[in-house]
């Protein structure tokens, strides 16, 4: 049944995980969702910053391993684990799964991804932080923050009269 993948110890673990995820408090599950998606976003950021494949793998591995070890809630993972437990015989209804886990986990994941991480980046590098001086070197700041002389120098090919020796 089910390709012999959900039997024995695997089925027992799936049942245990599904029932535990349903019994958690709404606020606690939401907070676990916030922590989880913050770690997932950090994994994506670190992967994007790495220059080689080994760096990308390590950049993903540490945050993802941390959220799994801590027990944070990630909605794509829960969309697999809870139905797997239900198939193995967990005492969980579809309504319980949706209201007691999917709703608070999705809410927490959304808060982390859209407000905390995206808001933090926007504050550091975008519109939310437009009144704050950038800690980055001037060459990495947008053109509007460059001094007027630098804009003139970068506007195109230089004439011979602009070159000082």
């Amino acid at each position: 049944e089910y390709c012999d993948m959900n039997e024995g110890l695997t089925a027992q673990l799936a049942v245990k995980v599904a029932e535990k995820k349903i019994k958690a408090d709404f606020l606690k599950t939401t907070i676990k969702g916030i922590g989880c998606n913050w770690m997932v976003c950090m994994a994506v950021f670190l992967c994007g910053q790495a220059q080689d494949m080994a760096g990308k793998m390590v950049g993903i591995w540490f945050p993802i391993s941390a959220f799994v070890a801590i027990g944070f809630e990630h909605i794509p993972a829960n969309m697999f684990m809870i139905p797997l437990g239900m198939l193995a015989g967990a005492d969980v209804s579809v309504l319980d799964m949706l209201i007691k886990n999917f709703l608070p986990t999705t809410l927490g994941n959304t808060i982390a991804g859209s407000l905390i991480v995206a808001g933090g980046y926007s504050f550091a590098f975008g519109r939310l932080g437009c009144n704050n001086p950038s800690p980055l070197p001037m060459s990495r700041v947008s053109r509007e923050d460059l001094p007027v002389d630098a804009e003139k120098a970068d506007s195109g090919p230089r004439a011979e009269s602009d070159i000082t020796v």
Side-chain angles (χ1 to χ4, degrees):
E1 186 175 344
Y2 309 119
C3 300
D4 296 331
M5 293 175 55
N6 203 14
E7 295 178 353
L9 294 176
T10 305
Q12 291 173 12
L13 180 62
V15 167
K16 184 178 175 182
V17 168
E19 289 175 350
K20 183 177 179 185
K21 286 184 175 287
I22 295 303
K23 291 179 181 168
D25 179 59
F26 190 93
L27 181 62
K28 189 178 199 180
T29 304
T30 303
I31 292 169
K32 284 179 161 186
I34 291 170
C36 178
N37 215 40
W38 176 71
M39 298 296 267
V40 169
C41 289
M42 290 301 102
V44 171
F45 175 76
L46 291 172
C47 179
Q49 295 300 309
Q51 299 299 314
D52 59 354
M53 188 58 66
K56 290 179 184 296
M57 290 188 298
V58 170
I60 292 171
W61 185 80
F62 277 109
I64 300 302
S65 296
F67 97 69
V68 170
I70 293 169
F72 285 158
E73 299 282 338
H74 193 49
I75 192 63
N78 291 354
M79 286 180 169
F80 173 77
M81 283 305 299
I82 296 173
L84 183 68
M86 292 168 68
L87 287 172
D91 186 25
V92 175
S93 71
V94 173
L95 190 59
D96 283 344
M97 176 181 66
L98 293 173
I99 293 174
K100 294 181 178 178
N101 188 276
F102 285 12
L103 181 63
T105 302
T106 302
L107 185 63
N109 288 173
T110 303
I111 289 169
S114 64
L115 297 179
I116 296 172
V117 175
Y121 283 132
S122 182
F123 185 78
F125 307 111
R127 289 187 176 186
L128 290 178
C130 62
N131 294 327
N132 299 315
S134 176
L136 298 175
M138 291 301 282
S139 63
R140 296 192 56 199
V141 180
S142 67
R143 285 198 159 293
E144 60 199 27
D145 293 335
L146 292 173
V148 176
D149 293 343
E151 285 180 5
K152 181 180 176 185
D154 290 339
S155 62
R158 292 183 174 180
E160 285 185 32
S161 62
D162 291 342
I163 300 173
T164 57
V165 179

